[in-house]
Coordinates of all heavy atoms in Angstrom, one line a residue:
M1 N 70.6 -54.9 26.1 CA 71.8 -55.5 25.7 C 71.8 -55.8 24.3 O 70.8 -56.3 23.7 CB 71.9 -56.9 26.5 CG 73.1 -57.7 26.2 SD 73.4 -59.0 27.3 CE 72.3 -60.3 26.6
L2 N 72.9 -55.6 23.6 CA 73.1 -55.8 22.2 C 73.6 -57.3 22.0 O 74.5 -57.7 22.6 CB 74.1 -54.9 21.6 CG 74.4 -55.0 20.1 CD1 73.2 -54.7 19.3 CD2 75.5 -54.0 19.7
Y3 N 72.8 -58.0 21.2 CA 73.2 -59.4 20.9 C 73.8 -59.5 19.5 O 73.2 -59.0 18.5 CB 71.9 -60.2 20.9 CG 72.1 -61.7 20.6 CD1 72.8 -62.5 21.5 CD2 71.7 -62.2 19.4 CE1 73.0 -63.8 21.2 CE2 72.0 -63.5 19.1 CZ 72.6 -64.3 20.0 OH 72.8 -65.6 19.7
K4 N 74.9 -60.0 19.4 CA 75.6 -60.2 18.1 C 75.7 -61.7 17.7 O 76.2 -62.5 18.5 CB 77.0 -59.6 18.2 CG 77.1 -58.1 18.3 CD 78.5 -57.6 18.3 CE 78.5 -56.1 18.4 NZ 79.8 -55.6 18.4
K5 N 75.0 -62.0 16.6 CA 75.0 -63.4 16.2 C 76.3 -63.6 15.3 O 76.5 -62.9 14.4 CB 73.7 -63.6 15.3 CG 73.6 -65.0 14.8 CD 73.2 -65.9 15.9 CE 72.9 -67.3 15.3 NZ 72.9 -68.3 16.2
N6 N 77.0 -64.6 15.7 CA 78.3 -64.9 15.0 C 78.1 -65.9 13.9 O 78.9 -66.1 13.0 CB 79.3 -65.5 16.0 CG 79.8 -64.4 16.9 OD1 79.9 -63.3 16.6 ND2 80.0 -64.8 18.2
R7 N 76.9 -66.6 13.8 CA 76.7 -67.6 12.8 C 75.3 -67.5 12.3 O 74.3 -67.3 13.1 CB 77.0 -69.0 13.4 CG 76.8 -70.1 12.3 CD 77.3 -71.4 12.8 NE 77.2 -72.4 11.7 CZ 77.4 -73.7 11.9 NH1 77.6 -74.1 13.1 NH2 77.2 -74.6 10.9
V8 N 75.1 -67.7 11.0 CA 73.8 -67.8 10.4 C 73.7 -69.1 9.7 O 74.2 -69.4 8.7 CB 73.6 -66.6 9.4 CG1 72.3 -66.7 8.7 CG2 73.8 -65.3 10.0
N9 N 73.0 -70.0 10.4 CA 72.8 -71.4 9.8 C 71.8 -71.4 8.6 O 72.0 -72.2 7.7 CB 72.2 -72.3 10.9 CG 73.1 -72.4 12.1 OD1 72.9 -71.7 13.0 ND2 74.1 -73.3 12.1
F10 N 70.8 -70.5 8.7 CA 69.8 -70.5 7.6 C 69.4 -69.0 7.4 O 69.2 -68.3 8.4 CB 68.6 -71.3 8.1 CG 67.4 -71.0 7.2 CD1 67.2 -71.5 5.9 CD2 66.4 -70.2 7.7 CE1 66.1 -71.2 5.1 CE2 65.2 -69.9 6.9 CZ 65.1 -70.4 5.6
A11 N 69.3 -68.6 6.2 CA 68.8 -67.3 5.9 C 67.8 -67.4 4.7 O 68.0 -68.2 3.8 CB 70.0 -66.4 5.5
F12 N 66.8 -66.5 4.8 CA 65.8 -66.4 3.7 C 66.0 -65.0 3.2 O 65.7 -64.0 3.9 CB 64.4 -66.6 4.3 CG 63.3 -66.5 3.3 CD1 63.3 -67.4 2.2 CD2 62.3 -65.6 3.4 CE1 62.3 -67.3 1.2 CE2 61.3 -65.5 2.5 CZ 61.3 -66.4 1.4
V13 N 66.4 -64.9 1.9 CA 66.6 -63.6 1.3 C 65.4 -63.3 0.4 O 65.1 -64.0 -0.6 CB 67.9 -63.6 0.4 CG1 68.0 -62.3 -0.4 CG2 69.1 -63.9 1.3
D14 N 64.6 -62.3 0.9 CA 63.4 -61.9 0.2 C 63.2 -60.4 0.5 O 62.9 -60.1 1.6 CB 62.2 -62.7 0.7 CG 60.9 -62.3 0.0 OD1 61.0 -61.8 -1.1 OD2 59.9 -62.5 0.6
G15 N 63.5 -59.6 -0.4 CA 63.3 -58.2 -0.2 C 63.5 -57.5 -1.5 O 62.8 -57.7 -2.5
S16 N 64.5 -56.6 -1.5 CA 64.9 -55.9 -2.8 C 65.3 -56.9 -3.8 O 65.8 -58.0 -3.6 CB 66.0 -55.0 -2.5 OG 66.5 -54.4 -3.7
H17 N 64.9 -56.6 -5.1 CA 65.3 -57.5 -6.2 C 66.4 -56.9 -7.0 O 66.8 -57.4 -8.1 CB 64.1 -57.7 -7.1 CG 63.0 -58.4 -6.3 ND1 61.9 -57.7 -5.8 CD2 62.8 -59.7 -6.0 CE1 61.1 -58.5 -5.1 NE2 61.6 -59.8 -5.3
D18 N 67.0 -55.8 -6.5 CA 68.2 -55.1 -7.1 C 69.4 -56.0 -6.9 O 69.7 -56.4 -5.8 CB 68.3 -53.7 -6.5 CG 69.5 -53.0 -7.0 OD1 69.4 -52.5 -8.2 OD2 70.5 -52.9 -6.3
Y19 N 70.2 -56.1 -8.0 CA 71.4 -56.9 -7.9 C 72.3 -56.5 -6.7 O 72.8 -57.3 -6.0 CB 72.2 -56.8 -9.2 CG 73.5 -57.6 -9.2 CD1 73.6 -58.9 -9.6 CD2 74.7 -56.9 -8.8 CE1 74.8 -59.6 -9.5 CE2 75.9 -57.6 -8.8 CZ 76.0 -58.9 -9.1 OH 77.1 -59.6 -9.1
D20 N 72.6 -55.2 -6.6 CA 73.6 -54.7 -5.6 C 73.0 -55.0 -4.2 O 73.8 -55.4 -3.3 CB 73.8 -53.3 -5.8 CG 74.6 -52.9 -7.0 OD1 75.4 -53.8 -7.5 OD2 74.5 -51.8 -7.5
D21 N 71.7 -54.9 -4.0 CA 71.2 -55.1 -2.7 C 71.2 -56.6 -2.3 O 71.6 -57.0 -1.2 CB 69.7 -54.7 -2.6 CG 69.6 -53.2 -2.7 OD1 70.5 -52.4 -2.4 OD2 68.4 -52.7 -3.0
V22 N 70.9 -57.5 -3.3 CA 70.9 -58.9 -3.0 C 72.3 -59.4 -2.8 O 72.6 -60.2 -1.9 CB 70.2 -59.7 -4.2 CG1 70.3 -61.2 -3.9 CG2 68.7 -59.2 -4.3
M23 N 73.2 -58.9 -3.6 CA 74.7 -59.2 -3.4 C 75.2 -58.8 -2.1 O 75.9 -59.5 -1.4 CB 75.5 -58.7 -4.6 CG 77.0 -59.1 -4.5 SD 77.3 -60.9 -4.5 CE 77.0 -61.2 -6.2
F24 N 74.8 -57.6 -1.6 CA 75.2 -57.1 -0.3 C 74.7 -58.1 0.8 O 75.5 -58.4 1.7 CB 74.7 -55.7 -0.1 CG 75.0 -55.2 1.3 CD1 76.2 -54.6 1.6 CD2 74.1 -55.2 2.3 CE1 76.5 -54.1 2.8 CE2 74.4 -54.7 3.6 CZ 75.6 -54.2 3.8
E25 N 73.4 -58.5 0.7 CA 72.9 -59.4 1.7 C 73.6 -60.7 1.7 O 74.0 -61.3 2.7 CB 71.4 -59.6 1.5 CG 70.6 -58.4 1.8 CD 69.1 -58.6 1.5 OE1 68.6 -59.8 1.5 OE2 68.4 -57.6 1.3
Y26 N 73.9 -61.2 0.5 CA 74.6 -62.5 0.4 C 76.0 -62.4 1.0 O 76.4 -63.3 1.7 CB 74.7 -62.9 -1.1 CG 75.7 -63.9 -1.4 CD1 75.6 -65.3 -1.0 CD2 76.9 -63.6 -2.1 CE1 76.5 -66.2 -1.2 CE2 77.8 -64.6 -2.3 CZ 77.7 -65.9 -1.9 OH 78.6 -66.8 -2.1
Q27 N 76.7 -61.4 0.6 CA 78.1 -61.2 1.2 C 78.1 -61.1 2.7 O 79.0 -61.7 3.3 CB 78.7 -59.9 0.6 CG 79.0 -60.0 -0.9 CD 80.1 -60.9 -1.3 OE1 80.9 -61.3 -0.5 NE2 80.1 -61.3 -2.5
F28 N 77.1 -60.5 3.3 CA 77.0 -60.4 4.7 C 76.8 -61.8 5.3 O 77.4 -62.2 6.3 CB 75.9 -59.4 5.1 CG 75.7 -59.3 6.6 CD1 76.6 -58.6 7.4 CD2 74.7 -60.1 7.2 CE1 76.4 -58.5 8.8 CE2 74.5 -60.0 8.6 CZ 75.4 -59.3 9.4
I29 N 75.8 -62.5 4.7 CA 75.4 -63.8 5.3 C 76.6 -64.8 5.1 O 76.8 -65.5 6.1 CB 74.1 -64.3 4.5 CG1 73.0 -63.4 4.9 CG2 73.9 -65.7 4.9 CD1 71.8 -63.6 3.9
K30 N 77.2 -64.9 4.0 CA 78.2 -65.9 3.7 C 79.4 -65.8 4.7 O 80.0 -66.8 5.0 CB 78.7 -65.9 2.3 CG 79.8 -65.1 1.9 CD 80.3 -65.4 0.5 CE 81.6 -64.7 0.3 NZ 82.2 -65.1 -1.0
Q31 N 79.7 -64.6 5.2 CA 80.8 -64.5 6.2 C 80.4 -65.1 7.5 O 81.3 -65.4 8.3 CB 81.0 -63.0 6.4 CG 81.6 -62.2 5.2 CD 81.7 -60.8 5.6 OE1 81.9 -60.3 6.7 NE2 81.6 -60.0 4.5
K32 N 79.2 -65.4 7.7 CA 78.7 -65.9 9.0 C 78.2 -67.3 8.9 O 77.5 -67.9 9.7 CB 77.6 -65.0 9.6 CG 78.1 -63.6 9.9 CD 77.0 -62.8 10.5 CE 77.6 -61.4 10.9 NZ 78.4 -61.5 12.1
Q33 N 78.6 -68.0 7.8 CA 78.1 -69.4 7.6 C 79.3 -70.3 7.5 O 80.4 -70.0 7.2 CB 77.3 -69.5 6.2 CG 76.0 -68.8 6.4 CD 75.0 -69.3 5.3 OE1 75.4 -69.3 4.1 NE2 73.8 -69.6 5.7
K34 N 79.0 -71.6 7.9 CA 79.9 -72.7 7.8 C 79.4 -73.8 6.9 O 78.3 -73.7 6.4 CB 80.2 -73.2 9.3 CG 80.8 -72.2 10.2 CD 81.1 -72.8 11.5 CE 81.8 -71.7 12.4 NZ 82.3 -72.2 13.6
K35 N 80.2 -74.8 6.8 CA 79.8 -75.9 5.9 C 78.4 -76.4 6.2 O 78.0 -76.5 7.4 CB 80.8 -77.1 6.0 CG 80.5 -78.2 5.1 CD 81.6 -79.3 5.3 CE 81.5 -80.4 4.4 NZ 80.3 -81.1 4.3
D36 N 77.6 -76.6 5.2 CA 76.2 -77.2 5.3 C 75.2 -76.1 5.8 O 74.0 -76.5 5.8 CB 76.1 -78.4 6.2 CG 76.9 -79.6 5.5 OD1 77.0 -79.7 4.3 OD2 77.4 -80.4 6.3
D37 N 75.5 -74.9 6.1 CA 74.6 -73.9 6.3 C 74.0 -73.4 5.0 O 74.6 -73.7 3.9 CB 75.2 -72.6 7.0 CG 75.7 -72.9 8.4 OD1 75.3 -73.9 9.0 OD2 76.5 -72.1 8.9
F38 N 72.8 -72.9 5.0 CA 72.2 -72.6 3.7 C 71.4 -71.2 3.6 O 71.1 -70.7 4.7 CB 71.4 -73.7 3.1 CG 70.2 -74.1 4.0 CD1 68.9 -73.6 3.6 CD2 70.3 -74.9 5.1 CE1 67.8 -73.9 4.3 CE2 69.2 -75.2 5.8 CZ 67.9 -74.7 5.4
I39 N 71.2 -70.8 2.4 CA 70.5 -69.6 2.1 C 69.4 -70.0 1.1 O 69.6 -70.6 0.1 CB 71.4 -68.5 1.4 CG1 72.6 -68.2 2.3 CG2 70.6 -67.2 1.2 CD1 73.7 -67.4 1.6
L40 N 68.2 -69.5 1.4 CA 67.0 -69.7 0.5 C 66.8 -68.4 -0.1 O 66.5 -67.4 0.5 CB 65.8 -70.2 1.3 CG 64.5 -70.3 0.5 CD1 64.7 -71.3 -0.7 CD2 63.4 -70.8 1.4
F41 N 66.8 -68.3 -1.5 CA 66.6 -67.1 -2.2 C 65.2 -67.2 -2.8 O 64.8 -68.2 -3.5 CB 67.6 -66.9 -3.4 CG 68.9 -66.6 -2.9 CD1 69.9 -67.6 -2.6 CD2 69.4 -65.3 -2.7 CE1 71.2 -67.3 -2.2 CE2 70.6 -65.0 -2.3 CZ 71.5 -66.0 -2.1
D42 N 64.4 -66.2 -2.6 CA 63.0 -66.0 -3.2 C 63.1 -65.3 -4.5 O 64.1 -64.5 -4.7 CB 62.1 -65.3 -2.2 CG 60.7 -65.3 -2.6 OD1 60.2 -66.2 -3.3 OD2 60.0 -64.4 -2.2
D43 N 62.2 -65.5 -5.3 CA 62.0 -64.8 -6.6 C 63.2 -64.9 -7.5 O 63.6 -64.0 -8.2 CB 61.8 -63.3 -6.3 CG 60.5 -63.0 -5.5 OD1 59.5 -63.7 -5.8 OD2 60.5 -62.1 -4.7
V44 N 63.7 -66.2 -7.7 CA 64.7 -66.5 -8.7 C 63.9 -66.8 -10.0 O 63.7 -67.9 -10.3 CB 65.5 -67.7 -8.3 CG1 66.7 -67.9 -9.3 CG2 66.2 -67.4 -6.9
S45 N 63.5 -65.7 -10.6 CA 62.5 -65.8 -11.7 C 63.0 -64.9 -12.9 O 62.9 -63.7 -12.9 CB 61.1 -65.2 -11.3 OG 60.7 -65.9 -10.1
P46 N 63.7 -65.6 -13.9 CA 64.2 -64.9 -15.0 C 63.1 -64.1 -15.7 O 62.0 -64.5 -15.9 CB 64.7 -66.0 -16.0 CG 65.0 -67.2 -15.0 CD 63.9 -67.0 -14.0
G47 N 63.5 -62.9 -16.2 CA 62.5 -62.0 -16.9 C 61.7 -61.2 -15.9 O 61.1 -60.2 -16.3
R48 N 61.6 -61.6 -14.7 CA 60.9 -60.8 -13.7 C 61.8 -60.1 -12.7 O 61.6 -59.0 -12.3 CB 59.9 -61.7 -13.0 CG 58.8 -62.2 -13.9 CD 57.7 -62.9 -13.1 NE 56.9 -61.8 -12.4 CZ 56.2 -62.1 -11.3 NH1 56.1 -63.3 -10.8 NH2 55.6 -61.1 -10.7
F49 N 62.7 -60.9 -12.1 CA 63.6 -60.4 -11.1 C 65.0 -60.8 -11.4 O 65.7 -61.6 -10.8 CB 63.2 -61.0 -9.7 CG 61.8 -60.8 -9.3 CD1 60.9 -61.8 -9.3 CD2 61.4 -59.5 -9.1 CE1 59.5 -61.6 -8.9 CE2 60.0 -59.2 -8.7 CZ 59.1 -60.3 -8.7
N50 N 65.5 -60.1 -12.5 CA 66.8 -60.5 -13.0 C 68.0 -60.2 -12.1 O 69.0 -60.8 -12.2 CB 67.0 -59.8 -14.4 CG 66.1 -60.3 -15.4 OD1 65.8 -61.5 -15.4 ND2 65.6 -59.5 -16.3
G51 N 67.8 -59.2 -11.2 CA 68.9 -59.0 -10.2 C 69.1 -60.2 -9.3 O 70.3 -60.6 -9.0
V52 N 68.0 -60.8 -8.8 CA 68.1 -62.0 -8.0 C 68.7 -63.1 -8.8 O 69.6 -63.9 -8.3 CB 66.8 -62.4 -7.4 CG1 66.9 -63.6 -6.5 CG2 66.1 -61.3 -6.6
V53 N 68.3 -63.3 -10.0 CA 68.8 -64.4 -10.9 C 70.3 -64.2 -11.1 O 71.0 -65.2 -11.0 CB 68.0 -64.4 -12.2 CG1 68.6 -65.4 -13.2 CG2 66.5 -64.7 -12.0
A54 N 70.7 -63.0 -11.4 CA 72.1 -62.8 -11.6 C 73.0 -63.1 -10.4 O 74.1 -63.7 -10.5 CB 72.4 -61.3 -12.0
V55 N 72.5 -62.8 -9.2 CA 73.3 -63.1 -8.0 C 73.4 -64.6 -7.8 O 74.5 -65.1 -7.6 CB 72.7 -62.4 -6.7 CG1 73.3 -63.0 -5.5 CG2 72.8 -60.9 -6.8
V56 N 72.3 -65.3 -8.0 CA 72.3 -66.8 -7.9 C 73.3 -67.4 -8.9 O 74.0 -68.3 -8.6 CB 70.9 -67.3 -8.0 CG1 70.9 -68.8 -8.1 CG2 70.1 -66.9 -6.7
E57 N 73.2 -66.9 -10.1 CA 74.2 -67.4 -11.1 C 75.6 -67.2 -10.8 O 76.5 -68.0 -11.0 CB 73.8 -66.8 -12.5 CG 72.6 -67.3 -13.1 CD 72.5 -68.7 -13.4 OE1 73.6 -69.3 -13.8 OE2 71.5 -69.4 -13.1
K58 N 75.9 -66.0 -10.2 CA 77.3 -65.7 -9.8 C 77.7 -66.6 -8.6 O 78.8 -67.1 -8.6 CB 77.4 -64.2 -9.3 CG 78.8 -63.8 -9.0 CD 79.0 -62.4 -8.9 CE 80.5 -62.0 -8.7 NZ 80.7 -60.6 -8.9
I59 N 76.8 -66.9 -7.7 CA 77.1 -67.8 -6.6 C 77.4 -69.2 -7.1 O 78.4 -69.8 -6.7 CB 75.9 -67.8 -5.6 CG1 75.8 -66.5 -4.9 CG2 76.1 -69.0 -4.6 CD1 74.5 -66.4 -4.1
K60 N 76.6 -69.7 -8.1 CA 76.9 -71.0 -8.7 C 78.3 -71.0 -9.4 O 79.1 -71.9 -9.2 CB 75.8 -71.3 -9.8 CG 74.5 -71.7 -9.2 CD 73.4 -71.8 -10.2 CE 73.8 -72.6 -11.4 NZ 72.6 -72.8 -12.4
F61 N 78.6 -69.9 -10.1 CA 79.9 -69.8 -10.8 C 81.1 -69.8 -9.8 O 82.1 -70.4 -10.1 CB 79.9 -68.5 -11.7 CG 81.2 -68.3 -12.4 CD1 81.5 -69.0 -13.5 CD2 82.1 -67.3 -11.9 CE1 82.7 -68.8 -14.1 CE2 83.3 -67.1 -12.5 CZ 83.6 -67.9 -13.7
Q62 N 80.9 -69.1 -8.7 CA 82.0 -69.0 -7.7 C 82.4 -70.3 -7.1 O 83.5 -70.5 -6.6 CB 81.7 -67.9 -6.7 CG 81.7 -66.5 -7.2 CD 81.2 -65.5 -6.2 OE1 80.5 -65.8 -5.3 NE2 81.7 -64.2 -6.4
G63 N 81.4 -71.2 -6.9 CA 81.6 -72.5 -6.4 C 81.7 -72.7 -4.9 O 82.0 -73.8 -4.5
E64 N 81.4 -71.7 -4.1 CA 81.5 -71.9 -2.7 C 80.2 -72.6 -2.1 O 80.2 -73.1 -1.0 CB 81.7 -70.6 -2.0 CG 83.0 -69.9 -2.2 CD 83.1 -68.6 -1.4 OE1 82.9 -68.6 -0.2 OE2 83.3 -67.6 -2.1
Y65 N 79.2 -72.5 -2.9 CA 77.9 -73.1 -2.5 C 77.4 -74.1 -3.6 O 77.6 -73.8 -4.8 CB 76.8 -72.0 -2.4 CG 77.0 -71.2 -1.1 CD1 78.0 -70.2 -1.0 CD2 76.1 -71.4 0.0 CE1 78.1 -69.4 0.2 CE2 76.2 -70.6 1.1 CZ 77.2 -69.7 1.2 OH 77.3 -68.9 2.4
N66 N 76.7 -75.1 -3.2 CA 75.9 -75.9 -4.1 C 74.6 -75.2 -4.2 O 74.0 -74.8 -3.2 CB 75.7 -77.3 -3.5 CG 76.9 -78.2 -3.6 OD1 77.6 -78.2 -4.5 ND2 77.2 -78.9 -2.5
V67 N 74.1 -75.0 -5.5 CA 72.9 -74.3 -5.7 C 71.9 -75.2 -6.4 O 72.2 -75.8 -7.4 CB 73.2 -73.1 -6.6 CG1 71.9 -72.3 -6.9 CG2 74.2 -72.1 -5.9
Q68 N 70.7 -75.3 -5.8 CA 69.6 -76.1 -6.3 C 68.5 -75.1 -6.7 O 68.1 -74.3 -5.8 CB 69.1 -77.1 -5.3 CG 68.0 -77.9 -5.8 CD 67.5 -78.9 -4.7 OE1 67.9 -78.9 -3.6 NE2 66.6 -79.7 -5.1
L69 N 68.1 -75.1 -7.9 CA 67.0 -74.3 -8.3 C 65.7 -75.0 -8.2 O 65.6 -76.2 -8.5 CB 67.2 -73.8 -9.8 CG 68.4 -73.0 -10.1 CD1 68.6 -72.8 -11.6 CD2 68.4 -71.7 -9.3
L70 N 64.6 -74.3 -7.7 CA 63.3 -74.9 -7.5 C 62.3 -74.0 -8.3 O 62.4 -72.8 -8.2 CB 62.9 -74.9 -6.1 CG 63.9 -75.6 -5.1 CD1 63.6 -75.4 -3.7 CD2 63.9 -77.1 -5.4
T71 N 61.3 -74.6 -8.9 CA 60.3 -73.8 -9.6 C 58.9 -74.2 -9.1 O 58.6 -75.4 -9.0 CB 60.4 -74.1 -11.1 OG1 61.7 -73.8 -11.6 CG2 59.4 -73.3 -11.9
S72 N 58.2 -73.3 -8.7 CA 56.8 -73.6 -8.3 C 55.8 -73.3 -9.3 O 54.7 -73.8 -9.3 CB 56.5 -72.8 -7.0 OG 56.4 -71.4 -7.2
S73 N 56.1 -72.4 -10.3 CA 55.3 -72.1 -11.4 C 56.2 -71.5 -12.5 O 57.4 -71.2 -12.3 CB 54.2 -71.2 -11.0 OG 54.6 -69.9 -10.8
S74 N 55.6 -71.2 -13.6 CA 56.4 -70.6 -14.7 C 56.8 -69.1 -14.4 O 57.7 -68.6 -15.0 CB 55.5 -70.5 -16.0 OG 54.4 -69.7 -15.8
E75 N 56.2 -68.6 -13.3 CA 56.5 -67.2 -12.9 C 57.2 -67.1 -11.6 O 57.5 -66.0 -11.1 CB 55.3 -66.4 -12.9 CG 54.6 -66.2 -14.3 CD 53.4 -65.4 -14.2 OE1 53.1 -64.8 -13.2 OE2 52.7 -65.3 -15.2
R76 N 57.4 -68.3 -10.9 CA 58.0 -68.2 -9.6 C 59.0 -69.3 -9.4 O 58.8 -70.4 -9.6 CB 56.8 -68.5 -8.6 CG 57.1 -68.3 -7.1 CD 56.9 -66.8 -6.8 NE 57.5 -66.5 -5.5 CZ 56.9 -65.7 -4.7 NH1 55.8 -65.1 -5.0 NH2 57.5 -65.5 -3.5
G77 N 60.2 -68.8 -8.9 CA 61.3 -69.7 -8.7 C 62.1 -69.4 -7.4 O 61.9 -68.3 -6.8
Y78 N 62.8 -70.4 -6.9 CA 63.6 -70.2 -5.7 C 65.0 -70.9 -5.9 O 65.2 -71.6 -6.8 CB 62.9 -71.0 -4.5 CG 61.5 -70.6 -4.3 CD1 60.5 -71.3 -4.9 CD2 61.1 -69.5 -3.5 CE1 59.1 -70.9 -4.8 CE2 59.8 -69.1 -3.3 CZ 58.8 -69.8 -4.0 OH 57.5 -69.5 -3.8
A79 N 65.9 -70.6 -5.0 CA 67.2 -71.3 -5.0 C 67.6 -71.6 -3.6 O 67.4 -70.8 -2.7 CB 68.2 -70.4 -5.7
I80 N 68.1 -72.8 -3.4 CA 68.7 -73.1 -2.1 C 70.2 -73.2 -2.4 O 70.7 -74.0 -3.2 CB 68.2 -74.5 -1.6 CG1 66.7 -74.4 -1.4 CG2 68.9 -74.9 -0.3 CD1 66.0 -75.7 -1.1
A81 N 71.0 -72.4 -1.6 CA 72.4 -72.4 -1.7 C 73.0 -73.0 -0.4 O 72.8 -72.4 0.6 CB 72.9 -71.0 -2.0
T82 N 73.7 -74.1 -0.5 CA 74.3 -74.8 0.6 C 75.8 -74.6 0.6 O 76.4 -75.0 -0.4 CB 73.9 -76.3 0.6 OG1 72.5 -76.4 0.5 CG2 74.4 -77.0 1.9
K83 N 76.4 -74.1 1.7 CA 77.8 -73.9 1.7 C 78.6 -75.2 1.7 O 78.3 -76.1 2.4 CB 78.2 -73.0 2.9 CG 79.6 -72.5 2.9 CD 79.7 -71.3 3.7 CE 81.1 -70.6 3.5 NZ 81.3 -69.5 4.3
K84 N 79.6 -75.2 0.8 CA 80.4 -76.5 0.6 C 81.4 -76.6 1.7 O 81.8 -77.8 2.0 CB 81.1 -76.4 -0.7 CG 80.1 -76.6 -1.9 CD 80.9 -76.5 -3.2 CE 80.1 -76.6 -4.4 NZ 80.9 -76.6 -5.6
F85 N 82.0 -75.6 2.2 CA 83.1 -75.6 3.1 C 83.2 -74.4 3.9 O 82.6 -73.4 3.6 CB 84.5 -75.9 2.4 CG 84.6 -75.0 1.2 CD1 85.1 -73.7 1.2 CD2 84.3 -75.6 -0.1 CE1 85.2 -72.9 0.1 CE2 84.5 -74.8 -1.2 CZ 84.9 -73.5 -1.2
D86 N 84.0 -74.4 5.0 CA 84.1 -73.2 5.9 C 85.1 -72.2 5.3 O 85.9 -72.5 4.5 CB 84.7 -73.6 7.3 CG 83.7 -74.4 8.1 OD1 82.5 -74.4 7.8 OD2 84.2 -75.1 9.0

């Protein structure tokens, strides 16, 4: 039986670091989220994974999500994007 998930309350994006790939994943996930659902982005690390950084910056600019940046070291960062509205 094929199971189709209509909502994604939480997603962890960790894979390709290419801008187009990360943006594709984000676009897919955001269609299935409602207010207060969130996405955790791995490798939000300027100078190392600029594709991920650029997607997170664009998400902040668009304003549909509150974005909180987290740093675990000088070489490792994360972002939590929480959807503001449906």
